[in-house]
Amino acid sequence: MQRANFSRVGFILAAAGAAVGLGNIWKFPYMTGMYGGGAFVLVYLITILFIGVSLLIAEMLMGKMGGSDAVSSFEKEAPRHKWAWAKAGYLFFIGLIIMTFYSVVIGWIFYYIYLTLTNSLPSNMEDAQNIFNHLYHNSWMIQVILHAISVVIVGYILQKGIKGGIEKFNLILMPLLIVILLGLCLYASTFGGFSKALSFLFVPDFSKLNSEAIIRAVGHSFFTLSIGIGSIMAYAASLPKSANIFRSGLWVAFLDTFIALLAGVVIFSFLFEFGSEPAKGPGLVFMSLPIIFVKLGFVGTIVALLFFLGMAFAGLTSAISLVEPTVMYLERRKGISKKVAVWGSSFFYFAIGILMILSVSDGFKEYLMIGKKSLFDAVEFAVDSFLMPLGGILIALFVGYAMNKEAVKDALKDEMGETIFKIWYFSIRYIAPLAVLFLSYNALIS
Ligand code: PHE
């Protein structure tokens, strides 16, 4: 099979593109608002530094050494454990499950781009809520169409493959996103709300930190770095032999964190400047921000357009990485053509995505509940609290215990040096698995 398809920068941008997504621009700011700011941010940063980066490097290592899809990598890298570990490779499938709602949310962004272009963003909270709720609960047909558009764009890029599609797309969109956010940040720095935003995000107030906030911060750091579902593994499988995993891992984690913080600073500067409450929940980006954009008149329209475009780009680059592991598996292990692999996977999550949309739509939602939750909420919850942590723990245990220590050391010690390697290995064997167990256990009992 073909190897060495990515250039080094291409890989870092593609992996960063996978990591930077709706998690950074939509979820991180609203959760920070919900859980009180600085202290939440601090826990998130500590987790990224001590657990996230280690797992990210472990997953990259598996991808590079395996050079293929997740199932093959698990088999190849610990042949003695073939039977037990081969099954672990099927974690790639979680990506398609995430896509059943992720693609729907990308559809919402398209809708807000449309509202911006037609000058119909809401100008007060009541309108904002009506527009969002109407889309969410009463417009299933529109949502299905927007979801379909997202499916087609993602499928089209995937079909073009690593070099022609994924790398090229990320090489353009990632820098563009950073430029958009930096531009918005520069603009926001002229506001009085800017310094308030900085202290809200970076001065921790520990009285606001409860155990739920800690669990959510830890869980989010997994989600945001795309750990544990084989996305990073699939991308790293196409790395040149000379690529430095340690440095790439640090870069990806840095870019991901930087963009989340940048998005946070921008959004909270706008909110504080124009007097909105930060604790608005998932509607933060879709409800509070548009009102502010409208207040700013023409400039606001431009800012809104840039912001939603940036968000759509971030979402799409992550979406690609969510589907690629399945495509890679079908192509390499099942010998299915790329075209059929791409559109077959796309059809799968498209169809279930429709059920997700219906599960929150008036008239249908009664039939699509799991317990007290809508299918949409149940799947989102399961992904965050169990499926991704499960993937993370499998990778940690696999690299820490099933893989040959000497092989792992050989692959990394020149890049890391002896001391950092020891710390990293300790983290993979003990800290990461225990932390993930703690997270899942607490999510289960909460
Ligand atoms: N990290 C992406 C985000 O922040 C989501 C994602 C998870 C992408 C897992 C790929 C794999 O939105």
Side-chain angles (χ1 to χ4, degrees), residues 58-83:
E59 189 169 336
M60 277 185 188
L61 176 78
M62 285 188 67
K64 189 180 172 195
M65 285 176 78
S68 191
D69 62 279
V71 176
S72 307
S73 294
F74 271 97
E75 284 176 1
K76 189 173 153 190
E77 287 161 26
R80 283 182 296 124
H81 298 271
K82 193 169 174 179
W83 188 86

PDB file of all heavy atoms in Angstrom, residues 58-83:
ATOM      1  N   ALA A  58       0.733   8.766  21.526  1.00  0.00           N
ATOM      2  CA  ALA A  58       0.578   7.307  21.458  1.00  0.00           C
ATOM      3  C   ALA A  58      -0.218   6.907  20.219  1.00  0.00           C
ATOM      4  O   ALA A  58       0.138   5.961  19.510  1.00  0.00           O
ATOM      5  CB  ALA A  58      -0.119   6.798  22.721  1.00  0.00           C
ATOM      6  N   GLU A  59      -1.300   7.648  19.968  1.00  0.00           N
ATOM      7  CA  GLU A  59      -2.124   7.289  18.804  1.00  0.00           C
ATOM      8  C   GLU A  59      -1.369   7.544  17.497  1.00  0.00           C
ATOM      9  O   GLU A  59      -1.449   6.757  16.551  1.00  0.00           O
ATOM     10  CB  GLU A  59      -3.462   8.041  18.837  1.00  0.00           C
ATOM     11  CG  GLU A  59      -4.403   7.511  17.768  1.00  0.00           C
ATOM     12  CD  GLU A  59      -5.841   8.007  17.872  1.00  0.00           C
ATOM     13  OE1 GLU A  59      -6.294   8.399  18.957  1.00  0.00           O
ATOM     14  OE2 GLU A  59      -6.522   7.990  16.829  1.00  0.00           O
ATOM     15  N   MET A  60      -0.609   8.641  17.468  1.00  0.00           N
ATOM     16  CA  MET A  60       0.202   8.921  16.267  1.00  0.00           C
ATOM     17  C   MET A  60       1.236   7.826  16.039  1.00  0.00           C
ATOM     18  O   MET A  60       1.468   7.389  14.915  1.00  0.00           O
ATOM     19  CB  MET A  60       0.942  10.247  16.428  1.00  0.00           C
ATOM     20  CG  MET A  60       0.106  11.439  16.081  1.00  0.00           C
ATOM     21  SD  MET A  60       1.107  12.924  16.161  1.00  0.00           S
ATOM     22  CE  MET A  60      -0.161  14.153  15.962  1.00  0.00           C
ATOM     23  N   LEU A  61       1.839   7.398  17.136  1.00  0.00           N
ATOM     24  CA  LEU A  61       2.859   6.350  17.038  1.00  0.00           C
ATOM     25  C   LEU A  61       2.258   5.080  16.443  1.00  0.00           C
ATOM     26  O   LEU A  61       2.830   4.455  15.546  1.00  0.00           O
ATOM     27  CB  LEU A  61       3.427   6.068  18.433  1.00  0.00           C
ATOM     28  CG  LEU A  61       4.434   4.932  18.488  1.00  0.00           C
ATOM     29  CD1 LEU A  61       5.779   5.433  17.967  1.00  0.00           C
ATOM     30  CD2 LEU A  61       4.606   4.400  19.903  1.00  0.00           C
ATOM     31  N   MET A  62       1.077   4.714  16.946  1.00  0.00           N
ATOM     32  CA  MET A  62       0.420   3.518  16.406  1.00  0.00           C
ATOM     33  C   MET A  62       0.146   3.645  14.921  1.00  0.00           C
ATOM     34  O   MET A  62       0.336   2.708  14.153  1.00  0.00           O
ATOM     35  CB  MET A  62      -0.904   3.266  17.141  1.00  0.00           C
ATOM     36  CG  MET A  62      -0.721   2.689  18.527  1.00  0.00           C
ATOM     37  SD  MET A  62      -2.323   2.221  19.208  1.00  0.00           S
ATOM     38  CE  MET A  62      -2.746   0.862  18.113  1.00  0.00           C
ATOM     39  N   GLY A  63      -0.303   4.819  14.518  1.00  0.00           N
ATOM     40  CA  GLY A  63      -0.604   5.033  13.108  1.00  0.00           C
ATOM     41  C   GLY A  63       0.640   4.941  12.254  1.00  0.00           C
ATOM     42  O   GLY A  63       0.665   4.263  11.223  1.00  0.00           O
ATOM     43  N   LYS A  64       1.690   5.598  12.707  1.00  0.00           N
ATOM     44  CA  LYS A  64       2.916   5.621  11.901  1.00  0.00           C
ATOM     45  C   LYS A  64       3.531   4.226  11.812  1.00  0.00           C
ATOM     46  O   LYS A  64       3.956   3.786  10.747  1.00  0.00           O
ATOM     47  CB  LYS A  64       3.913   6.600  12.517  1.00  0.00           C
ATOM     48  CG  LYS A  64       5.120   6.839  11.620  1.00  0.00           C
ATOM     49  CD  LYS A  64       6.090   7.821  12.254  1.00  0.00           C
ATOM     50  CE  LYS A  64       7.379   7.903  11.453  1.00  0.00           C
ATOM     51  NZ  LYS A  64       8.456   8.541  12.201  1.00  0.00           N
ATOM     52  N   MET A  65       3.559   3.523  12.940  1.00  0.00           N
ATOM     53  CA  MET A  65       4.164   2.189  12.929  1.00  0.00           C
ATOM     54  C   MET A  65       3.305   1.189  12.158  1.00  0.00           C
ATOM     55  O   MET A  65       3.819   0.297  11.496  1.00  0.00           O
ATOM     56  CB  MET A  65       4.408   1.698  14.357  1.00  0.00           C
ATOM     57  CG  MET A  65       5.600   2.396  14.989  1.00  0.00           C
ATOM     58  SD  MET A  65       5.841   1.936  16.701  1.00  0.00           S
ATOM     59  CE  MET A  65       6.599   0.352  16.552  1.00  0.00           C
ATOM     60  N   GLY A  66       2.009   1.328  12.257  1.00  0.00           N
ATOM     61  CA  GLY A  66       1.124   0.382  11.580  1.00  0.00           C
ATOM     62  C   GLY A  66       1.021   0.676  10.094  1.00  0.00           C
ATOM     63  O   GLY A  66       0.906  -0.227   9.277  1.00  0.00           O
ATOM     64  N   GLY A  67       1.026   1.954   9.762  1.00  0.00           N
ATOM     65  CA  GLY A  67       0.970   2.359   8.358  1.00  0.00           C
ATOM     66  C   GLY A  67      -0.319   1.966   7.660  1.00  0.00           C
ATOM     67  O   GLY A  67      -0.385   1.910   6.440  1.00  0.00           O
ATOM     68  N   SER A  68      -1.346   1.690   8.437  1.00  0.00           N
ATOM     69  CA  SER A  68      -2.582   1.289   7.774  1.00  0.00           C
ATOM     70  C   SER A  68      -3.786   1.642   8.653  1.00  0.00           C
ATOM     71  O   SER A  68      -3.665   2.439   9.569  1.00  0.00           O
ATOM     72  CB  SER A  68      -2.530  -0.209   7.481  1.00  0.00           C
ATOM     73  OG  SER A  68      -3.594  -0.554   6.627  1.00  0.00           O
ATOM     74  N   ASP A  69      -4.910   1.025   8.354  1.00  0.00           N
ATOM     75  CA  ASP A  69      -6.117   1.292   9.133  1.00  0.00           C
ATOM     76  C   ASP A  69      -5.958   0.800  10.567  1.00  0.00           C
ATOM     77  O   ASP A  69      -5.017   0.069  10.884  1.00  0.00           O
ATOM     78  CB  ASP A  69      -7.300   0.587   8.474  1.00  0.00           C
ATOM     79  CG  ASP A  69      -7.079  -0.905   8.457  1.00  0.00           C
ATOM     80  OD1 ASP A  69      -6.352  -1.389   7.574  1.00  0.00           O
ATOM     81  OD2 ASP A  69      -7.603  -1.580   9.366  1.00  0.00           O
ATOM     82  N   ALA A  70      -6.889   1.211  11.440  1.00  0.00           N
ATOM     83  CA  ALA A  70      -6.757   0.913  12.865  1.00  0.00           C
ATOM     84  C   ALA A  70      -6.735  -0.587  13.142  1.00  0.00           C
ATOM     85  O   ALA A  70      -5.936  -1.069  13.945  1.00  0.00           O
ATOM     86  CB  ALA A  70      -7.892   1.583  13.644  1.00  0.00           C
ATOM     87  N   VAL A  71      -7.591  -1.335  12.473  1.00  0.00           N
ATOM     88  CA  VAL A  71      -7.647  -2.774  12.737  1.00  0.00           C
ATOM     89  C   VAL A  71      -6.288  -3.412  12.424  1.00  0.00           C
ATOM     90  O   VAL A  71      -5.732  -4.166  13.230  1.00  0.00           O
ATOM     91  CB  VAL A  71      -8.766  -3.453  11.912  1.00  0.00           C
ATOM     92  CG1 VAL A  71      -8.747  -4.959  12.123  1.00  0.00           C
ATOM     93  CG2 VAL A  71     -10.116  -2.892  12.313  1.00  0.00           C
ATOM     94  N   SER A  72      -5.720  -3.047  11.264  1.00  0.00           N
ATOM     95  CA  SER A  72      -4.417  -3.615  10.900  1.00  0.00           C
ATOM     96  C   SER A  72      -3.331  -3.181  11.867  1.00  0.00           C
ATOM     97  O   SER A  72      -2.442  -3.961  12.207  1.00  0.00           O
ATOM     98  CB  SER A  72      -4.029  -3.179   9.487  1.00  0.00           C
ATOM     99  OG  SER A  72      -5.051  -3.467   8.598  1.00  0.00           O
ATOM    100  N   SER A  73      -3.370  -1.924  12.305  1.00  0.00           N
ATOM    101  CA  SER A  73      -2.328  -1.441  13.212  1.00  0.00           C
ATOM    102  C   SER A  73      -2.357  -2.213  14.527  1.00  0.00           C
ATOM    103  O   SER A  73      -1.319  -2.615  15.045  1.00  0.00           O
ATOM    104  CB  SER A  73      -2.497   0.052  13.498  1.00  0.00           C
ATOM    105  OG  SER A  73      -2.280   0.780  12.318  1.00  0.00           O
ATOM    106  N   PHE A  74      -3.537  -2.411  15.065  1.00  0.00           N
ATOM    107  CA  PHE A  74      -3.638  -3.163  16.318  1.00  0.00           C
ATOM    108  C   PHE A  74      -3.099  -4.587  16.137  1.00  0.00           C
ATOM    109  O   PHE A  74      -2.431  -5.125  17.006  1.00  0.00           O
ATOM    110  CB  PHE A  74      -5.085  -3.216  16.813  1.00  0.00           C
ATOM    111  CG  PHE A  74      -5.462  -2.054  17.695  1.00  0.00           C
ATOM    112  CD1 PHE A  74      -6.119  -0.947  17.198  1.00  0.00           C
ATOM    113  CD2 PHE A  74      -5.150  -2.079  19.052  1.00  0.00           C
ATOM    114  CE1 PHE A  74      -6.470   0.119  18.016  1.00  0.00           C
ATOM    115  CE2 PHE A  74      -5.498  -1.014  19.887  1.00  0.00           C
ATOM    116  CZ  PHE A  74      -6.150   0.081  19.364  1.00  0.00           C
ATOM    117  N   GLU A  75      -3.406  -5.191  15.001  1.00  0.00           N
ATOM    118  CA  GLU A  75      -2.948  -6.566  14.764  1.00  0.00           C
ATOM    119  C   GLU A  75      -1.437  -6.632  14.606  1.00  0.00           C
ATOM    120  O   GLU A  75      -0.753  -7.469  15.186  1.00  0.00           O
ATOM    121  CB  GLU A  75      -3.594  -7.123  13.499  1.00  0.00           C
ATOM    122  CG  GLU A  75      -5.035  -7.525  13.711  1.00  0.00           C
ATOM    123  CD  GLU A  75      -5.678  -7.996  12.413  1.00  0.00           C
ATOM    124  OE1 GLU A  75      -4.986  -8.017  11.370  1.00  0.00           O
ATOM    125  OE2 GLU A  75      -6.863  -8.331  12.450  1.00  0.00           O
ATOM    126  N   LYS A  76      -0.941  -5.689  13.808  1.00  0.00           N
ATOM    127  CA  LYS A  76       0.456  -5.756  13.412  1.00  0.00           C
ATOM    128  C   LYS A  76       1.412  -5.442  14.567  1.00  0.00           C
ATOM    129  O   LYS A  76       2.500  -6.012  14.659  1.00  0.00           O
ATOM    130  CB  LYS A  76       0.659  -4.740  12.283  1.00  0.00           C
ATOM    131  CG  LYS A  76       1.999  -4.810  11.598  1.00  0.00           C
ATOM    132  CD  LYS A  76       1.973  -3.860  10.410  1.00  0.00           C
ATOM    133  CE  LYS A  76       3.381  -3.383  10.094  1.00  0.00           C
ATOM    134  NZ  LYS A  76       3.354  -2.294   9.115  1.00  0.00           N
ATOM    135  N   GLU A  77       0.997  -4.515  15.442  1.00  0.00           N
ATOM    136  CA  GLU A  77       1.954  -4.007  16.419  1.00  0.00           C
ATOM    137  C   GLU A  77       2.078  -4.860  17.673  1.00  0.00           C
ATOM    138  O   GLU A  77       2.968  -4.645  18.486  1.00  0.00           O
ATOM    139  CB  GLU A  77       1.601  -2.563  16.774  1.00  0.00           C
ATOM    140  CG  GLU A  77       1.949  -1.642  15.610  1.00  0.00           C
ATOM    141  CD  GLU A  77       1.243  -0.311  15.687  1.00  0.00           C
ATOM    142  OE1 GLU A  77       0.903   0.107  16.799  1.00  0.00           O
ATOM    143  OE2 GLU A  77       1.023   0.298  14.630  1.00  0.00           O
ATOM    144  N   ALA A  78       1.178  -5.788  17.849  1.00  0.00           N
ATOM    145  CA  ALA A  78       1.334  -6.710  18.976  1.00  0.00           C
ATOM    146  C   ALA A  78       0.816  -8.074  18.549  1.00  0.00           C
ATOM    147  O   ALA A  78      -0.246  -8.516  18.975  1.00  0.00           O
ATOM    148  CB  ALA A  78       0.569  -6.199  20.197  1.00  0.00           C
ATOM    149  N   PRO A  79       1.565  -8.736  17.703  1.00  0.00           N
ATOM    150  CA  PRO A  79       1.063  -9.975  17.096  1.00  0.00           C
ATOM    151  C   PRO A  79       0.686 -11.039  18.123  1.00  0.00           C
ATOM    152  O   PRO A  79      -0.227 -11.811  17.905  1.00  0.00           O
ATOM    153  CB  PRO A  79       2.238 -10.452  16.238  1.00  0.00           C
ATOM    154  CG  PRO A  79       3.248  -9.370  16.232  1.00  0.00           C
ATOM    155  CD  PRO A  79       2.923  -8.396  17.293  1.00  0.00           C
ATOM    156  N   ARG A  80       1.375 -11.037  19.260  1.00  0.00           N
ATOM    157  CA  ARG A  80       1.072 -12.063  20.256  1.00  0.00           C
ATOM    158  C   ARG A  80      -0.341 -11.915  20.790  1.00  0.00           C
ATOM    159  O   ARG A  80      -0.954 -12.855  21.254  1.00  0.00           O
ATOM    160  CB  ARG A  80       2.066 -11.972  21.418  1.00  0.00           C
ATOM    161  CG  ARG A  80       3.430 -12.574  21.095  1.00  0.00           C
ATOM    162  CD  ARG A  80       4.334 -12.488  22.290  1.00  0.00           C
ATOM    163  NE  ARG A  80       4.617 -11.102  22.648  1.00  0.00           N
ATOM    164  CZ  ARG A  80       4.401 -10.569  23.829  1.00  0.00           C
ATOM    165  NH1 ARG A  80       3.899 -11.296  24.792  1.00  0.00           N
ATOM    166  NH2 ARG A  80       4.682  -9.307  24.081  1.00  0.00           N
ATOM    167  N   HIS A  81      -0.821 -10.681  20.753  1.00  0.00           N
ATOM    168  CA  HIS A  81      -2.151 -10.438  21.310  1.00  0.00           C
ATOM    169  C   HIS A  81      -3.201 -10.358  20.216  1.00  0.00           C
ATOM    170  O   HIS A  81      -4.242  -9.772  20.400  1.00  0.00           O
ATOM    171  CB  HIS A  81      -2.170  -9.108  22.066  1.00  0.00           C
ATOM    172  CG  HIS A  81      -1.251  -9.073  23.223  1.00  0.00           C
ATOM    173  ND1 HIS A  81      -1.625  -9.465  24.481  1.00  0.00           N
ATOM    174  CD2 HIS A  81       0.041  -8.695  23.307  1.00  0.00           C
ATOM    175  CE1 HIS A  81      -0.608  -9.320  25.307  1.00  0.00           C
ATOM    176  NE2 HIS A  81       0.421  -8.850  24.621  1.00  0.00           N
ATOM    177  N   LYS A  82      -2.864 -10.922  19.077  1.00  0.00           N
ATOM    178  CA  LYS A  82      -3.673 -10.683  17.889  1.00  0.00           C
ATOM    179  C   LYS A  82      -5.183 -10.785  18.122  1.00  0.00           C
ATOM    180  O   LYS A  82      -5.929  -9.863  17.821  1.00  0.00           O
ATOM    181  CB  LYS A  82      -3.257 -11.672  16.806  1.00  0.00           C
ATOM    182  CG  LYS A  82      -3.795 -11.308  15.452  1.00  0.00           C
ATOM    183  CD  LYS A  82      -3.119 -12.164  14.422  1.00  0.00           C
ATOM    184  CE  LYS A  82      -3.763 -11.895  13.076  1.00  0.00           C
ATOM    185  NZ  LYS A  82      -3.137 -12.684  12.049  1.00  0.00           N
ATOM    186  N   TRP A  83      -5.580 -11.869  18.710  1.00  0.00           N
ATOM    187  CA  TRP A  83      -7.012 -12.064  18.816  1.00  0.00           C
ATOM    188  C   TRP A  83      -7.661 -10.972  19.675  1.00  0.00           C
ATOM    189  O   TRP A  83      -8.610 -10.324  19.295  1.00  0.00           O
ATOM    190  CB  TRP A  83      -7.311 -13.448  19.401  1.00  0.00           C
ATOM    191  CG  TRP A  83      -8.782 -13.724  19.334  1.00  0.00           C
ATOM    192  CD1 TRP A  83      -9.463 -14.242  18.279  1.00  0.00           C
ATOM    193  CD2 TRP A  83      -9.738 -13.435  20.341  1.00  0.00           C
ATOM    194  NE1 TRP A  83     -10.801 -14.302  18.559  1.00  0.00           N
ATOM    195  CE2 TRP A  83     -11.002 -13.817  19.818  1.00  0.00           C
ATOM    196  CE3 TRP A  83      -9.679 -12.899  21.635  1.00  0.00           C
ATOM    197  CZ2 TRP A  83     -12.175 -13.672  20.547  1.00  0.00           C
ATOM    198  CZ3 TRP A  83     -10.853 -12.758  22.359  1.00  0.00           C
ATOM    199  CH2 TRP A  83     -12.081 -13.141  21.809  1.00  0.00           C
TER     200      TRP A  83
END
